[in-house]
């Protein structure tokens, strides 16, 4: 019955799209007489070095947007509306649709000029642009043909500096320090970059009133040789139209003063303010120091608004700096409820967080979070309590600086870093077992804003997992029964220490994103155990306080890239690889460190923890959440995203990947990784998604279908793309945020 309903919904959606496309052909009722609907715009270049797609930004009029760059649904939706605007249905269709773009010859002419200017700025001084039109009924298609010709190059460069102090400061007598060189392409971008370079250098050396307008260029092209002689002129200082030109004044900092905005004090120690202030008395004015001061003060949780101003002392080149500061509320309380659904078991969770933003008057941020959860568990026979409850507390103390011995003041001031201490306790009660997790960690985080990179170093991360009670039924059936799959289960239901250190790097420039993490656990304890000739337990493991500790190494790498096709369409790819290896004191990875496949951010044709390892096919849902984990993971995704209407976006996607074990475990037949066979075990899925995009957050609904299933019993199940079955192959996912 459910399958029939899904088929009906799919057919209805398809019919709606077809109807809108048909109506889209009759949009002429909104096109005035003797005018045309702009149906298509192309930009072509006859030189491979010129990216025609990049030139689209200079075209002033573009055709109506299309879903997935194919379907003219927004225009078709608008066309469904009647002309009577008093009817709500007509107003609604027009608001969610897109008004026809009417061809404007003036805009086309200006677009040709803009394209020509862009080519000149790129060094193609002999470029030309032609426009061709193709009219079909009430529609018109435009094609801009760009003919760049041959680029121009710089032949000779000369710097004329009318200020000897600046000339010496820039060191331009040494031509190796010049930003312009013979053989460079003659482009506006190269000239402007040199203006910016010199301006930035001078503004960081005390030249408070210097700007790039003091730098001019003159150029002389050589006939028929496509070579240009360039002269950079750095003009002398002229404060106003009536004043005489002089040498550029070089300013120094005379004094620095902190002023609280309003009646309240900021309640920060003077040393904290001084350490975060890069503007120093007696030093030359520096725009870089000004920006770094803004960044540093902006990172202090105790501060809200910051404004830095300078005043000139009369008849001197001294600047007095005044830093205006306002503070945030020192204490806040937040409450966050949420619903849960684990394998069909419904529940609810909530957390309350208290935060103090200035604990020791140094902008130290202390937060205490209390969390509780309840889930009604059904279908478990032989267990007394059929509910799941969880209570937890987590305390975090964050310092806005490096906290470590033997660090110099200059190092602390020049590094944008935070140090964090966290302690948490989590109590989980299930019908099968009770579990307690105590965690403590000390870590550092710092960033390099110029290179869009952040770093994280976990100096110590300690986890103690304690199992105070296990149900006799669960113990008998799964842990002590030699005939059942129990090795991985047993390891994950014993008391355990995890003491890890790790390092991670994250790069994100808005187009490309790259993440890499490495962590290792148990090596220091293992070395101490070997040196002290510590005793082993009955399983041959060294212990700490009679509790075995985990020993492993884990590495993860993740890359994604998004191409912007036009204003409403984009295409993204994503790849992730993770591998972890237990050794020494461990034969099995701790459950928290194992990989799982499927879910909203993995291969979306499978439910979370429903894929792998390898060609292993789960059979017993009560314990397969343990067995369907692995030591290695591969995820690959491609997704085409489009704007639909209002705040709703759409997507089509293809996912591939799986998880594997590095060792052969009896409980996971077919799960071990093999170079000769792993490609046969890659699962593939496809699907569509809808996203409710509010800008500051996004709700995602993805519907995936299995295409190739490595855990199969029949040919139809293996190649599900040829033999689809909704009840077997369909998975629905709800998530917050994009998958990558």
């Amino acid at each position: 019955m459910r399958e029939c309903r899904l088929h009906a919904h799919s057919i209805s959606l398809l019919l709606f799209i077809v109807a809108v496309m048909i109506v889209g052909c009759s949009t002429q009722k909104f096109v005035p007489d003797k005018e045309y609907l702009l149906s298509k715009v192309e930009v072509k270049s006859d030189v491979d070095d010129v990216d025609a797609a990049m030139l689209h930004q200079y075209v002033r009029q573009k055709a109506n947007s299309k879903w997935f760059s194919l379907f003219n649904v927004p225009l078709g939706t608008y066309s469904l509306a009647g002309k009577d605007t008093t009817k709500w249905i007509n107003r609604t269709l027009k608001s969610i649709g897109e008004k026809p773009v009417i061809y404007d010859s003036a805009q086309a002419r200006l677009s040709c000029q803009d394209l020509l200017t862009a080519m000149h700025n790129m060094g193609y001084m002999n470029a030309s642009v032609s426009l061709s039109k193709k009219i079909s009924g009430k529609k018109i298609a435009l094609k801009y043909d760009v003919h760049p010709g041959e680029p121009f190059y710089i032949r000779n460069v000369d710097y004329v500096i009318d200020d000897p102090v600046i000339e010496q400061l820039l060191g331009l007598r040494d031509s190796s320090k010049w930003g312009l060189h013979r053989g460079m392409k003659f482009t506006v971008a190269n000239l402007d970059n040199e203006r910016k370079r010199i301006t930035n250098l001078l503004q960081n050396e005390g030249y408070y009133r210097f700007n790039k307008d003091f730098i001019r260029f003159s150029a002389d092209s050589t006939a028929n040789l496509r070579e240009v002689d360039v002269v950079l002129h750095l003009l002398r200082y002229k404060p106003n139209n009536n004043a005489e030109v002089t040498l550029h004044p070089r300013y120094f900092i005379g004094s620095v003063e902190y002023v609280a905005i309003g009646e309240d004090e900021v309640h920060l120690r003077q040393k904290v303010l001084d350490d975060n202030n890069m503007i120093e008395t007696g030093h030359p004015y520096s725009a870089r120091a000004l920006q770094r001061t803004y960044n540093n003060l902006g990172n202090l949780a105790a501060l809200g608004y910051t404004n830095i101003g300078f005043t000139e002392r009369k008849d001197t080149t001294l600047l007095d700096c005044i830093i205006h500061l306002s503070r945030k509320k020192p204490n806040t309380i937040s409450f966050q409820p949420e619903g849960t659904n684990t394998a069909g078991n419904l529940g609810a969770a909530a957390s309350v967080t208290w935060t103090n933003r200035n604990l020791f008057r140094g902008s130290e941020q202390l937060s205490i979070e209390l969390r509780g959860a309840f889930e009604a568990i059904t279908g478990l026979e032989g267990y007394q309590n059929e509910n799941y409850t969880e209570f937890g507390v987590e305390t975090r103390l964050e310092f806005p600086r490096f906290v470590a011995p033997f660090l110099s003041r200059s190092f602390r001031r020049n590094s944008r870093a935070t140090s964090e201490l966290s302690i948490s306790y989590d109590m989980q009660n299930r019908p099968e077992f009770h579990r307690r997790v105590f965690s403590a960690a000390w870590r550092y985080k710092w960033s390099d804003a110029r290179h869009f990179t952040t770093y994280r170093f976990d100096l110590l991360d300690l986890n103690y997992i304690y199992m105070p009670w296990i149900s006799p039924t669960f113990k008998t059936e799964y842990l002590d029964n030699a005939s059942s799959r129990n090795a991985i289960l047993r390891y994950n239901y014993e008391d355990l220490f995890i003491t890890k250190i790790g390092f991670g790097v994250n790069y994100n420039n808005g187009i490309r994103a790259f993440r890499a993490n490495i962590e290792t656990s148990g090596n220091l304890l293992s070395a101490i155990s070997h040196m002290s000739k510590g005793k082993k337990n009955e399983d041959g493991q060294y212990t700490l306080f009679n509790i075995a500790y985990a020993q492993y190494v884990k590495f993860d790498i993740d890359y994604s890239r998004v191409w912007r096709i036009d204003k409403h369409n984009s295409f993204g790819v994503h790849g992730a690889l993770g591998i972890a290896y237990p050794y020494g004191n461990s034969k099995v990875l701790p459950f928290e460190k194992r990989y799982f496949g499927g879910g909203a951010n993995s291969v979306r044709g499978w439910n979370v923890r429903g894929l792998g390892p390898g060609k292993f096919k789960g059979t017993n849902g009560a314990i397969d959440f343990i067995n369907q984990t692995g030591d290695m993971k591969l995820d690959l995704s491609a997704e085409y995203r489009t704007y639909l209407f209002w705040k709703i976006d759409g997507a089509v996607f293809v996912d591939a990947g799986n998880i594997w074990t590095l060792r052969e475990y009896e409980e996971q037949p077919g799960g071990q990784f093999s170079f000769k066979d792993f490609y046969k075990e890659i699962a593939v899925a496809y699907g569509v998604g809808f996203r409710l995009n509010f800008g500051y957050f996004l709700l995602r609904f993805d519907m995936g279908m299995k295409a190739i299933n490595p855990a199969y019993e029949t040919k139809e199940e293996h190649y599900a793309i040829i033999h689809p079955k909704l009840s077997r192959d369909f998975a629905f996912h709800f998530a917050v945020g994009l998958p990558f």
Side-chain angles (χ1 to χ4, degrees), residues 212-246:
K212 64 180 184 179
D213 290 336
F214 286 106
I215 299 176
R216 305 283 177 84
F217 288 98
S218 60
D220 182 20
S221 60
T222 304
N224 302 322
L225 292 180
R226 294 182 288 105
E227 291 184 321
V228 181
D229 295 333
V230 177
V231 179
L232 182 148
H233 303 270
L234 195 149
L235 308 179
R236 287 197 173 195
Y237 180 66
K238 188 175 183 180
N240 54 62
N241 293 332
N242 298 323
E244 296 182 358
V245 294
T246 64

Side-chain angles (χ1 to χ4, degrees), residues 323-574:
I323 303 177
H324 293 89
L325 304 169
S326 70
R327 67 167 181 163
K328 293 180 181 177
K329 291 182 178 180
N331 299 290
T332 59
I333 296 179
S334 61
F335 174 75
Q336 182 176 353
E338 62 181 278
T340 62
N341 184 349
T342 305
N345 297 320
L346 300 179
S351 62
V352 178
T353 305
W354 172 80
T355 303
N356 181 293
R357 295 190 175 94
N358 196 19
L359 186 64
F360 305 121
R361 296 185 64 200
S363 196
E364 299 86 0
Q365 185 166 272
L366 172 69
S367 65
I368 300 176
E369 178 182 350
L370 301 176
R371 186 179 188 276
F374 173 85
E375 200 168 85
I377 298 179
T378 58
L380 290 180
E381 298 182 1
Y383 298 90
Q384 294 180 355
N385 183 7
E386 294 190 352
N387 293 322
Y388 165 74
T389 58
E390 179 181 358
F391 299 96
V393 57
E394 181 177 18
T395 300
R396 292 177 181 269
L397 178 58
E398 186 176 281
F399 300 87
R401 57 190 177 277
F402 266 118
V403 178
F406 313 118
L407 296 180
S408 66
R409 181 175 181 268
S410 61
F411 177 84
R412 291 197 304 270
R413 295 183 74 234
N414 291 322
S415 60
R416 293 179 56 189
T418 60
S419 307
E420 181 185 289
L421 171 67
S422 65
I423 300 175
S424 65
Y425 179 76
D426 192 54
M427 181 177 69
Q428 307 167 8
N429 290 344
R430 287 187 59 90
E432 310 98 314
F433 56 83
H434 291 175
R435 182 187 179 102
R436 309 289 183 260
V437 180
F438 173 80
S439 301
W442 180 263
R443 60 180 58 94
Y444 299 101
K445 301 175 185 177
W446 66 98
S447 62
D448 182 354
R450 290 179 300 171
H451 299 98
F452 312 102
T453 308
T454 59
Y455 304 90
R456 170 175 168 155
F457 175 49
D458 294 326
L459 181 63
L460 178 64
D461 192 334
L462 170 67
N463 292 269
Y464 170 46
I465 302 169
Y466 172 54
M467 306 292 296
W469 176 83
I470 297 177
S471 164
T473 303
F474 186 80
K475 193 171 185 293
T476 301
E477 291 183 359
Y478 301 121
L479 303 185
D480 296 338
N481 188 348
S483 63
S484 67
R485 305 192 302 264
N486 57 42
I488 298 176
L489 280 168
R490 285 190 59 190
Y491 183 76
N492 286 284
Y493 288 95
E494 296 174 348
D495 298 345
L496 182 68
F497 268 120
I498 303 175
T499 57
K500 78 176 182 73
I501 60 173
F503 178 78
V505 58
N506 188 340
Y507 168 86
N508 191 333
N509 68 353
I511 299 175
R512 295 181 180 88
F514 171 81
R515 293 188 298 272
N517 295 279
I518 186 170
E519 66 179 67
T520 183
S521 174
N523 293 330
L524 179 60
L525 292 177
S526 178
I528 295 174
S529 298
H530 279 89
M531 288 188 295
S532 63
K533 297 181 179 180
K535 295 182 179 180
K536 297 182 178 181
N537 61 16
E538 58 184 12
D539 295 323
Q541 297 172 299
Y542 289 109
T543 62
L544 177 66
F545 305 122
N546 295 322
I547 300 172
Y549 54 84
Q551 193 172 6
Y552 65 87
V553 62
K554 183 178 183 181
F555 175 74
D556 296 277
I557 188 170
D558 187 294
Y559 175 81
S560 62
R561 168 76 190 270
V562 176
W563 288 269
R564 189 81 172 177
I565 298 172
D566 56 40
K567 182 180 178 181
H568 295 300
N569 295 277
S570 61
F571 177 73
V573 296
H574 171 252

Side-chain angles (χ1 to χ4, degrees), residues 593-613:
K593 301 300 177 182
R594 295 174 71 83
Y595 298 103
F596 61 87
N601 297 310
S602 183
V603 187
R604 283 168 277 186
W606 279 258
N607 289 318
V608 62
R609 302 185 188 276
L611 173 62

Side-chain angles (χ1 to χ4, degrees), residues 238-274:
K238 188 175 183 180
N240 54 62
N241 293 332
N242 298 323
E244 296 182 358
V245 294
T246 64
L247 297 180
H248 286 272
R250 190 181 187 193
Y251 289 85
F252 290 78
I253 304 300
S255 65
V256 178
E257 181 183 1
Y258 303 99
V259 177
I261 299 176
E263 298 179 357
D264 294 336
E265 296 182 8
V266 293
H267 296 290
L268 284 171
R269 299 193 305 272
Q270 185 69 33
K271 184 177 183 301
V272 174
L273 293 173
D274 290 341

Side-chain angles (χ1 to χ4, degrees), residues 612-647:
K615 56 185 177 181
F616 170 75
K617 184 177 178 66
T619 56
N620 190 336
I623 58 173
D624 277 342
F625 73 97
I626 289 286
N627 285 322
Q628 293 200 263
T629 58
D631 310 320
M632 180 178 177
K633 181 175 183 177
L634 174 66
D635 269 333
L636 301 170
S637 293
E639 186 169 279
Y640 197 109
R641 301 164 182 167
T642 191
Y643 169 76
L644 299 180
F645 57 87
W646 188 53
K647 297 186 181 297

Side-chain angles (χ1 to χ4, degrees), residues 163-170 198-211 214 234 237 247-252 284-287 319:
D163 191 317
V165 177
I166 290 180
E167 183 180 20
Q168 183 177 5
L169 184 65
L170 295 177
I198 293 176
T199 300
N200 290 339
L201 194 153
L202 294 178
Q203 287 182 345
N204 292 324
E205 291 292 340
Y207 290 89
Y208 173 66
R209 293 198 168 276
F210 190 89
N211 61 70
F214 286 106
L234 195 149
Y237 180 66
L247 297 180
H248 286 272
R250 190 181 187 193
Y251 289 85
F252 290 78
Y285 164 84
S286 169
L319 294 174

Side-chain angles (χ1 to χ4, degrees), residues 17-308:
I17 293 175
V18 171
V20 169
M21 292 174 64
I22 293 173
V23 174
C25 298
S26 62
T27 53
Q28 58 195 28
K29 64 181 178 181
F30 291 105
V31 179
D33 292 338
K34 298 182 181 181
E35 295 195 32
Y36 299 96
L37 171 70
L38 184 58
S39 61
K40 187 178 181 180
V41 176
E42 290 184 282
V43 179
K44 298 290 184 180
S45 170
D46 54 16
V47 174
D48 293 337
D49 290 344
V50 177
D51 184 4
M54 180 273 296
L55 295 176
H56 267 280
Q57 62 182 307
Y58 300 105
V59 177
R60 299 196 176 201
Q61 258 197 323
K62 299 176 176 64
N64 288 97
S65 63
K66 297 179 180 180
W67 287 10
F68 304 107
S69 299
L70 295 173
F71 308 114
N72 213 336
V73 178
L75 176 59
T77 304
Y78 188 95
S79 301
L80 286 172
K83 294 186 177 181
D84 186 356
T85 57
T86 62
K87 296 181 178 180
W88 71 268
I89 184 63
N90 293 336
R91 295 196 304 271
T92 301
L93 289 171
K94 286 186 176 182
S95 65
I96 65 176
E98 190 174 270
K99 186 178 181 179
V101 177
I102 306 301
Y103 168 67
D104 186 336
S105 59
Q107 293 296 311
R109 186 169 57 254
L110 291 172
S111 295
C112 289
Q113 295 177 6
D114 291 345
L115 286 167
L116 188 61
T117 301
M119 299 310 302
H120 289 168
N121 291 342
M122 294 168 62
Y124 296 93
M125 309 307 295
N126 294 329
S128 63
V129 178
S130 60
L131 173 63
S132 58
K133 309 170 188 176
K134 184 177 181 181
I135 299 175
S136 176
K138 297 282 289 183
K139 297 181 180 180
I140 186 170
L142 302 181
K143 182 181 178 183
Y144 296 90
D145 287 298
V146 179
H147 312 286
E150 295 294 331
F152 278 54
Y153 293 89
I154 295 175
R155 183 178 66 171
N156 296 316
V157 182
D158 191 17
Y159 285 76
V160 177
I161 310 296
D162 290 339
D163 191 317
V165 177
I166 290 180
E167 183 180 20
Q168 183 177 5
L169 184 65
L170 295 177
L172 294 178
R173 294 177 181 176
D174 181 358
S175 61
S176 64
K177 295 183 179 180
W178 295 4
L180 299 175
H181 301 282
R182 177 183 177 88
M184 291 181 68
K185 187 179 286 189
F186 179 69
T187 68
V188 169
N190 284 336
L191 300 182
D192 199 46
N193 287 338
E194 180 64 354
R195 293 176 77 191
K196 291 178 181 178
R197 186 187 72 85
I198 293 176
T199 300
N200 290 339
L201 194 153
L202 294 178
Q203 287 182 345
N204 292 324
E205 291 292 340
Y207 290 89
Y208 173 66
R209 293 198 168 276
F210 190 89
N211 61 70
K212 64 180 184 179
D213 290 336
F214 286 106
I215 299 176
R216 305 283 177 84
F217 288 98
S218 60
D220 182 20
S221 60
T222 304
N224 302 322
L225 292 180
R226 294 182 288 105
E227 291 184 321
V228 181
D229 295 333
V230 177
V231 179
L232 182 148
H233 303 270
L234 195 149
L235 308 179
R236 287 197 173 195
Y237 180 66
K238 188 175 183 180
N240 54 62
N241 293 332
N242 298 323
E244 296 182 358
V245 294
T246 64
L247 297 180
H248 286 272
R250 190 181 187 193
Y251 289 85
F252 290 78
I253 304 300
S255 65
V256 178
E257 181 183 1
Y258 303 99
V259 177
I261 299 176
E263 298 179 357
D264 294 336
E265 296 182 8
V266 293
H267 296 290
L268 284 171
R269 299 193 305 272
Q270 185 69 33
K271 184 177 183 301
V272 174
L273 293 173
D274 290 341
D275 284 346
N276 286 279
N277 174 29
M278 300 292 108
I279 304 169
E280 299 184 80
T281 302
H283 287 235
Y285 164 84
S286 169
R288 184 188 301 115
L290 173 62
Q291 187 59 52
R292 288 182 60 193
T293 302
Y294 268 119
N295 293 338
N296 290 348
L297 296 176
N299 288 332
L300 296 181
L303 295 179
Y305 173 77
T306 301
N307 182 56
I308 304 175

